[in-house]
Amino acid sequence: MGGPTEAVLHAAGRTGLDVYDAFVLHALSHGEETGGHHNRNFVVPLTEPMARLVNREPGTSVKVRLRVPEMLPVVLRTWQDEHRILDAIKGVLPHVPECLARSGGTAVHSYAEGVPLSSICQNGKPLDSRLIQALAELLAQMVRVRRQDLPKLPPAWPRDGSSRSFLRTLALATDAQVRRPNWPEFGGLFAALGVHDDAMTAFAQRVPPMVRRPFSLLHTDLHRENVIFSYHGDPPLICVDWELATYGDPLHDLATHLVRMHYPSSQWEEVKEAWRQAISRVRPEAVHGLDTDLRHYIDFEHAQSVYPDVMRAAKSLGDGQEPDGLQAATESVERALGVARGPLGLADVPGPSEIERILYRWHAARQVRTARVRRSACAVVSWVADGRIAENPAFPREAVVEALAAEGAAPAEHVFKGTGHLNTVVRVPSSGSTVVVRRRLSAGSRREPCFLDEHAVLMALEAVEGAVRAPKLLALGVSRPSDQFAVHSYAGPPDGCRPPNHPVHGLLPHEADDLVDQLCALVDVDTRCLGPAMGGGVFYGWLSDRLVDLVGSLPKESLQLAGALGLPNAYRLREILSRHTVVQRPPVLLHGDLNPWNLVRHERTGELTIIDWEMAMIGDPLYDLVRHLHLTPHRAEIRQRMYARWIRNMSLRGEAYVQGWADDRHIYRWIEIVRSAYVDLDRLVTGMSLDAPNVRRAVDSYSMTLLAATASLGLRSGRVVTPSAS
């Protein structure tokens, strides 16, 4: 075969030009590209000059493997040089490819004559039992490779037989080699999807004690593309692509093989038994603990796959103004989150429509960052304003586009997921401000309903600006695709580079005074534009009915566990709640959820800003203070200080606001304890909203909450067993 390839070879011989350029050129010009996730592979026949270079007959097919440097780092590599692995195993597995030549990212391998197993039996299809036996024998043969023949292992590699340490090493290596290098580009995307930066390190910490098994060579990527069905039938199957091989617990190889081969579930037991028998004939102690420990490696395989699957799906959207294959990418991400949810302890996995919107925003932000569309963000990020509010002169339409364009590119530390909203902190250069883009999460992410429109509440609060410090509503609208949003002013540090400071351990004396003064100032908010008072002024009755409705709507699993723990059903709860009454005080605007994470400390003035008004309501002003004291740890003197200041300030506004407060505060405190007993139990059972720090703290102390609730209800609690929150 003549032409440019021969010219390059001739020049290489005369000038010392890298002869591998000839192989690359020949492969690109005349080769047949075959599958490969981590390399570009070309099968080419050797020309006569090339054959001399690799000591093969002219016309012999070889595989030219080109490492693609721009590919995402999404795999674990114990050894960087595949040829050293092939050299070590060729005596034990003589039919594996041989590395004939290499240079940099180019390698020339002998070609395994045959077809990939995937071409005769696609993913999801059952394999013939004889093929399963042959695959098990392949895995068993790897056990025969001697440790001393393999390349040097990285420092601090687990000691031979320490299965638990090996699995923890895999998890930590995934964080170091896959998660961290990609976090600057994809961290915000993962945060929006509910995958935190410590997901894999937390997985490593949860690895339980495991049975000791002797280590061996592992392929770790034995799927249908990497198994060649031999033309000659001896052996029937040949294993290729050894670049991800490692040395460790052989159970890990079985786990990756089971998952990546996409066996139908009906064949898993057959594969496991074939593996058990094949390995037992070579090294019987390597099958110890198969039935108890395999699931831990299966969990790891599902956990680590969330990173490559999500990143590849995002990258598959292409570089065009409109994303390519958005539905397919959404389905891929949904599958990845679904299988990783349990192993990684993901709290709230978004549904397909929410995933689609998150991917769209990430893609749009990526397009805006490119030079091609940098000057025309409006062409990529389009939105429709909500007609209920006028354009804010201090934050015009162009500023909204900037905020939305920056949203999808925000780093993970600027993305905050609460119980009802996804909040992204972004900098808007044209306005010189830092703002929060606020998106409502799917309805399934919270049990407790919202009663007022948050944007209307913020607009009503503007009338008492200064007396009540709350975010300013800057914009409200819908972006593509059908994605509602609001833009609020940001209450945290103005540079936006540091997280807000929340009084998670309680308020200082001057902060307690400040909060009480703001709660008292809510009396002056005109609520007529928001709607009537909850329950027509009979606030406790309305509050009781809402709690009974919530309990009645809990899923079956939560209700069954509640009953086992001694909590009454909805009918019985209604009877108990109806025994109490409270004084009807004049209704005012209430925040409704004054947990510490909804309070932000101002770093210079020491004042508090109250954020997240999504659960606002109109009712008894005493309730807001009591609920805050229930949700926030305070010293006794701070609690007394807040009650005393509240009584004094509210009395100045009218005695009707404080009449009967001393008795009624205990009733509101009691109903909040009961509410927490049901809501926190449901969160433990379903895993909903566990990402939110206030929720995590509440469920961590659930045993105390349950005891207090059953005691206050006058009931005997069942056996106190706190469900796992992970």
Side-chain angles (χ1 to χ4, degrees), residues 415-478:
V415 180
F416 305 95
K417 200 170 187 179
T419 56
H421 285 84
L422 180 69
N423 303 299
T424 307
V425 178
V426 298
R427 184 73 178 167
V428 181
S430 66
S431 67
S433 61
T434 300
V435 301
V436 179
V437 181
R438 196 159 158 81
R439 306 270 185 179
R440 184 178 293 277
L441 297 173
S442 60
S445 64
R446 68 183 309 159
R447 293 279 182 232
E448 298 179 286
C450 300
F451 304 102
L452 303 176
D453 290 330
E454 186 179 30
H455 76 275
V457 173
L458 295 181
M459 293 172 67
L461 287 170
E462 291 182 5
V464 291
E465 183 178 1
V468 179
R469 288 179 294 280
K472 299 292 187 296
L473 178 66
L474 302 177
L476 188 69
V478 178

Side-chain angles (χ1 to χ4, degrees), residues 187 208 211 288 291 419 427 485 538 554 627:
V211 175
H288 292 169
D291 296 323
T419 56
R427 184 73 178 167
F485 72 90
V538 186
L554 293 178
R627 180 164 167 81

Side-chain angles (χ1 to χ4, degrees), residues 467-469 512-525 588-592 594 599 610 613 621-626 628-629 642 646 649-650 653:
V468 179
R469 288 179 294 280
D513 294 346
D514 181 38
L515 179 59
V516 169
D517 291 346
Q518 293 193 64
L519 294 183
C520 294
L522 290 175
V523 173
D524 301 325
V525 176
V588 304
L589 178 64
L590 312 179
H591 181 277
L594 282 172
L599 300 173
I610 305 175
W613 290 78
L622 178 62
Y623 174 72
D624 236 6
L625 178 58
V626 173
H628 166 72
L629 295 173
M642 294 182 75
W646 184 86
N649 287 1
M650 293 300 284
R653 288 173 163 81

Side-chain angles (χ1 to χ4, degrees), residues 4 67 83 91 125 206 229 261 271 305 309 322 333 336 350 395 404 462 499 565 618 655 677 679:
R67 178 77 64 88
H83 76 280
K125 300 293 184 181
R206 293 193 299 268
F229 189 82
M261 280 288 286
V271 175
S305 67
D309 289 352
E322 289 298 319
V333 171
F395 203 79
L404 298 181
E462 291 182 5
L565 295 177
I618 302 172
E655 289 297 324
V679 172

Side-chain angles (χ1 to χ4, degrees), residues 369-645:
R369 291 200 305 271
T370 64
R372 181 168 50 85
V373 294
R374 189 181 301 276
R375 298 178 182 176
S376 56
C378 292
V380 179
V381 181
S382 61
W383 68 286
V384 177
D386 190 312
R388 291 174 294 179
I389 70 168
E391 181 176 308
N392 189 325
F395 203 79
R397 188 175 186 86
E398 294 74 17
V400 177
V401 170
E402 284 187 69
L404 298 181
E407 178 190 13
E413 58 270 22
H414 289 185
V415 180
F416 305 95
K417 200 170 187 179
T419 56
H421 285 84
L422 180 69
N423 303 299
T424 307
V425 178
V426 298
R427 184 73 178 167
V428 181
S430 66
S431 67
S433 61
T434 300
V435 301
V436 179
V437 181
R438 196 159 158 81
R439 306 270 185 179
R440 184 178 293 277
L441 297 173
S442 60
S445 64
R446 68 183 309 159
R447 293 279 182 232
E448 298 179 286
C450 300
F451 304 102
L452 303 176
D453 290 330
E454 186 179 30
H455 76 275
V457 173
L458 295 181
M459 293 172 67
L461 287 170
E462 291 182 5
V464 291
E465 183 178 1
V468 179
R469 288 179 294 280
K472 299 292 187 296
L473 178 66
L474 302 177
L476 188 69
V478 178
S479 62
R480 299 176 63 189
S482 302
D483 200 356
Q484 294 184 341
F485 72 90
V487 180
H488 292 181
S489 60
Y490 180 53
D495 58 12
C497 297
R498 291 162 292 155
N501 183 1
H502 304 289
V504 296
H505 301 298
L507 298 175
L508 300 173
H510 73 278
E511 294 172 336
D513 294 346
D514 181 38
L515 179 59
V516 169
D517 291 346
Q518 293 193 64
L519 294 183
C520 294
L522 290 175
V523 173
D524 301 325
V525 176
D526 186 354
T527 60
R528 290 173 297 180
C529 61
L530 301 177
M534 277 57 191
V538 186
F539 184 72
Y540 173 77
W542 176 86
L543 197 65
S544 300
D545 289 343
R546 299 293 73 74
L547 178 55
V548 171
D549 291 344
L550 183 149
V551 171
S553 67
L554 293 178
K556 180 180 178 181
E557 295 79 6
S558 299
L559 288 174
Q560 287 177 337
L561 185 55
L565 295 177
L567 295 172
N569 60 26
Y571 178 80
R572 176 63 176 146
L573 180 62
R574 187 184 299 275
E575 289 183 334
I576 297 173
L577 295 176
S578 65
R579 297 173 185 169
H580 302 275
T581 58
V582 302
V583 174
Q584 294 187 35
R585 280 168 280 274
V588 304
L589 178 64
L590 312 179
H591 181 277
D593 192 27
L594 282 172
N595 68 71
W597 284 270
N598 285 341
L599 300 173
V600 179
R601 285 172 164 147
H602 195 284
E603 58 185 11
R604 290 197 305 271
T605 66
E607 297 173 328
L608 296 175
T609 298
I610 305 175
I611 64 173
D612 290 5
W613 290 78
E614 62 194 20
M615 291 183 64
M617 55 187 75
I618 302 172
D620 188 343
L622 178 62
Y623 174 72
D624 236 6
L625 178 58
V626 173
R627 180 164 167 81
H628 166 72
L629 295 173
H630 169 69
L631 296 173
T632 308
H634 281 307
R635 302 191 309 274
E637 57 267 29
I638 293 294
R639 300 171 68 89
Q640 294 169 1
R641 181 188 185 102
M642 294 182 75
Y643 274 125
R645 191 176 184 91

Side-chain angles (χ1 to χ4, degrees), residues 276-314:
R276 187 198 306 269
Q277 294 179 11
I279 297 291
S280 295
R281 290 191 289 269
V282 180
R283 190 172 294 173
E285 60 271 29
V287 304
H288 292 169
L290 166 63
D291 296 323
T292 57
D293 289 350
L294 178 62
R295 62 187 178 91
H296 303 312
Y297 285 107
I298 297 289
D299 283 348
F300 168 72
E301 177 65 12
H302 287 153
Q304 65 83 27
S305 67
V306 77
Y307 298 106
D309 289 352
V310 167
M311 292 187 291
R312 285 169 177 157

Side-chain angles (χ1 to χ4, degrees), residues 135 138-140 142-143 166 170 216-223 239 242 244-246 248-261 271 275 279 294 297-298 301:
L135 285 165
L138 267 179
L139 290 168
M142 298 177 200
V143 176
F166 176 66
L170 292 176
S216 65
L217 173 68
L218 313 178
H219 183 280
T220 79
D221 199 25
L222 197 60
H223 53 74
C239 185
W242 288 81
L244 304 186
T246 189
D249 187 347
L251 211 53
H252 174 49
D253 230 6
L254 174 60
T256 57
H257 175 65
L258 280 168
V259 174
R260 300 185 190 190
M261 280 288 286
V271 175
W275 183 88
I279 297 291
L294 178 62
Y297 285 107
I298 297 289
E301 177 65 12

